């Protein structure tokens, strides 16, 4: 009697690598912009948001920095926080970026000075990670919140207008934090609904 043909199961797909590469690509864009700014333009090619800047500056501002020190400081915090958010899911990471950019719009329209740098996104990632544990109340999320608070909690002082050094855009930090907090609220609601 003929044997039924059993289709071989497809080989497992390797895990997607682009979520692991994405933060490196994003920070690489910032480093490339800073390198071109320093070498070609002598530090005069900044792409901030603020009065009189075009709408697309909302997308360029995170990649523009006021020097290598500014960029290095942001990079050292941006990468670990990015990977903590991506470890949850890439959609959460995209939500933080969208939240940060949306919250930049009032600064672009109304704030009297210009603002740029990855620190708005850093504070967005921080806001997301700190709030998600409190909103979801799951053990792993709470553990991440406690770890992030213990490692990066001192950065919260940067949300206060009088506490930061001159020239640091505390309003960019606050708007980024709010954008990340909104992303956390949306993510927590979706987790509870599913």
């Amino acid at each position: 009697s003929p044997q039924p043909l059993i289709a071989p199961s497809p080989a497992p797909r390797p895990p997607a690598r682009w979520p692991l590469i994405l933060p490196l690509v994003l920070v690489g864009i910032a480093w490339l912009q800073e390198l071109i700014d320093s070498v070609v333009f002598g530090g005069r090619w900044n792409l901030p948001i603020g009065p009189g800047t075009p709408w697309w500056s909302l997308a360029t501002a995170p990649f523009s920095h006021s020097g290598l020190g500014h960029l290095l400081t942001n990079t050292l915090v941006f990468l670990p926080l990015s990977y903590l958010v991506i470890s949850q899911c890439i959609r959460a990471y995209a939500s933080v970026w969208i939240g940060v950019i949306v919250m930049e719009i009032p600064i672009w329209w109304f704030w009297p000075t210009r603002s740029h740098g990855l620190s708005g996104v850093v504070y967005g990632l921080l806001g997301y990670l700190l709030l998600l544990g409190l909103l979801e109340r799951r053990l792993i999320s709470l553990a991440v919140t406690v770890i992030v608070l213990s490692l990066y909690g001192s950065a919260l002082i940067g949300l206060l207008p009088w506490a930061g050094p001159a020239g640091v855009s505390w309003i960019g930090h606050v708007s980024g934090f709010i954008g990340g907090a909104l992303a956390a609220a949306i993510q927590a609601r979706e987790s509870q609904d599913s």
Side-chain angles (χ1 to χ4, degrees):
S1 97
Q3 296 290 329
L5 295 176
I6 299 174
S9 61
R13 292 177 47 189
R17 300 208 191 288
W18 67 269
L20 299 175
I21 296 169
L22 182 59
L24 294 172
V25 168
L26 293 170
V27 87
I29 293 168
W31 278 94
L32 179 63
Q33 189 280 332
E34 187 59 35
L35 179 67
I36 293 169
D37 179 34
S38 298
V39 173
V40 177
F41 296 100
R44 295 182 312 274
W45 185 45
N46 289 314
L47 306 168
I49 58 170
T53 61
W55 65 267
W56 48 262
S57 64
L58 293 165
T60 62
F63 302 104
S64 173
H65 289 77
S66 61
L68 291 174
H70 182 207
L71 178 54
L72 180 61
T73 302
N74 281 338
T75 298
L76 293 174
V77 181
F78 172 78
L79 288 174
L81 292 179
S82 288
Y83 287 118
L84 281 171
V85 173
I86 285 175
S87 70
Q88 182 183 15
C89 71
I90 193 70
R91 187 171 176 208
Y93 192 64
S95 296
V96 171
W97 272 87
I98 291 167
V100 169
I101 291 171
V102 165
M103 292 308 299
E104 284 179 345
I105 293 171
I107 296 171
W108 174 57
W109 279 339
F110 303 116
W111 199 249
T113 58
R114 294 181 173 199
S115 176
H116 64 146
L118 274 172
S119 58
V121 179
V122 165
Y123 276 90
L125 296 165
L126 186 61
Y128 177 88
L129 291 165
L130 290 177
L131 245 54
L132 189 66
L134 300 174
L135 295 172
E136 283 189 342
R137 294 188 188 119
R138 292 186 332 189
L139 185 58
I140 191 75
S141 298
L142 284 168
V144 169
T145 293
V146 169
I147 291 167
V148 168
L149 185 59
S150 65
L151 292 175
Y152 301 104
S154 62
L156 294 174
I157 196 84
L159 297 172
L160 304 173
W162 59 86
V168 172
S169 177
W170 66 271
I171 194 73
H173 297 170
V174 170
S175 68
F177 191 88
I178 292 169
L182 290 172
I186 291 167
Q187 184 68 30
R189 174 178 274 182
E190 288 178 0
S191 294
Q192 290 171 351
D193 290 345
S194 58

